[in-house]
Amino acid sequence: MAFDLVQLRSQFPILSRQVHGKPLVYLDNAASTQKPQCMLDALMHYYQHEHSNVHRGAHALADEATIAFEACRDALQTYLGAADRREVIFTKGTTEAMNLLAAGLGQSIKAGDTIVITALEHHANLVPWQQLCLAKGAQLRVVALNELGELDQQDYADALSQKPKIVSFAHVSNALGTVNPIADMARAAKAVGAWVVVDGAQGAAHGPLSLSQTDIDFYALSAHKLYGPTGLGVLWGRFNALDLLPPYQLGGEMIKSVSFEATEFNDLPYRLEAGTPNIADVVAFGAVVNWLLSLDWQALVAHEQELLTYATQQVQALGGFQIHGQAKHKVSVLSLSLPGVHPSDIGFLLDQQGVAIRTGSHCAEPLMQLLGLPGTARASFAIYNTLAEVDALVAALAKAKSMLLE
Ligand SMILES: Cc1ncc(COP(=O)(O)O)c(C=O)c1O
């Protein structure tokens, strides 16, 4: 292993706490990851030394806050592989980014148009498009899955033959762990003239991206799933695509000049960042992104795969549990069910043993309906998890199984 896992873990203070008298085994990373010390330090430093409002101050603190704030945009440009720093827009999260896109791209949608999504979308990449279609009389076309939980690429091709205006799909499924071939899918969607939107909430946490080298137009992520703060997200958009979007919210920061009669809107990125932004969390996220950029991602990706492969093998050996999502290209998520048992009972018993997982529909109710499940018990891994923690998960599952079934 080309990285020191003990050293990496030591940077996440929360991982050394106990829960119900047991060492915490945190396997709910798809819901939200834990935070490194560099983020906590940056947040504290910002409020202790640099806080002021950004972009419009006439004093030293305002300048320092602005420099710290904008440094995060630069770090994200590198992490995302963006061609231009103005392509990085701060939002509240993936959800807000998707609403911004549905509102903006939606203005040109007419009755009879088609918008394509897939069967494995999180509600954040479903409800905004569904409601847009309902409001405009457009059609929502949902791409089917195969039995492994992969997108049916033939059905995707069929959907594209309807010449959709917008195609929006997840990079990685939060419920099944399926990694979609986003570059290929974007190329095919672009070839029919669609706007290509990618929900990167789960995809962005597995290493730096090269978005400008793809045909993707927009990519959304949430900082809190990328070892960063809550309440903050990023919308990346190709400059020419972003520039066509109307303002999402109106007010301060997003204007150049205002009279009682009219307003001249600001340039990107500020035109899409109305009001005082979440300055402190952006500054703290900048520290996290720079830290992420310093890591050996080849080794970390291999480590995450080893955790998933080992966990899958151990759960299969345990018997009784069904694993949902067996895609050939899969990352970090192990979604389980025990026939006859409600997933929340599994979650409760695991919590008693210090093992934190997520249970339920994972904000993908239509997918659960398709699978005929009330939900799943989902363990999800991050770069700081260990094989010993997988052992703890499997031991806790074995105990839960014997209590629930025997
Ligand atoms: C695939 C996917 N998309 C979107 C979201 C929504 O993210 P947020 O709640 O941070 O806006 C999530 C969160 O779980 C997700 O997993």
Side-chain angles (χ1 to χ4, degrees), residues 14-33:
I14 203 170
L15 296 179
S16 54
R17 68 160 281 181
Q18 300 217 327
V19 169
H20 305 308
K22 309 263 171 34
L24 168 67
V25 175
Y26 187 77
L27 300 177
D28 193 17
N29 296 288
S32 200
T33 50

Side-chain angles (χ1 to χ4, degrees), residues 93-95 122 124 174 199 201-202 222 224-225:
T94 305
T95 303
H122 184 283
N174 65 314
D199 171 352
Q202 298 295 334
S222 297
H224 71 98
K225 294 182 195 286

Side-chain angles (χ1 to χ4, degrees), residues 29-32 91-98 120-125 169-175 199-203 220-225 230-233 358 362-363 378:
N29 296 288
S32 200
T91 67
K92 279 196 302 184
T94 305
T95 303
E96 189 180 50
M98 289 304 173
L120 46 66
E121 300 310 320
H122 184 283
H123 297 163
N125 193 30
F169 47 82
H171 186 173
V172 171
S173 157
N174 65 314
D199 171 352
Q202 298 295 334
L221 64 91
S222 297
H224 71 98
K225 294 182 195 286
T230 55
L232 178 67
R358 171 91 174 252
H362 317 299
C363 293
R378 179 189 72 184

Side-chain angles (χ1 to χ4, degrees), residues 68-90 204 207-213 219 221 226 233-239 242 269-270 273 282 285-290 292-293:
F69 178 88
E70 290 296 333
C72 180
R73 210 184 298 275
D74 294 329
L76 281 161
Q77 182 190 350
T78 306
Y79 190 84
L80 297 173
D84 189 316
R85 67 187 307 283
R86 296 171 298 172
E87 297 178 340
V88 176
I89 308 294
F90 292 113
L209 301 158
S210 313
L211 294 175
S212 66
Q213 288 167 35
Y219 188 99
L221 64 91
L226 190 52
V234 176
L235 170 65
W236 169 83
R238 195 171 299 288
F239 190 84
L242 270 185
Y270 311 112
E273 294 178 349
V282 169
F285 193 38
V288 174
V289 176
N290 279 317
L292 291 173
L293 284 167

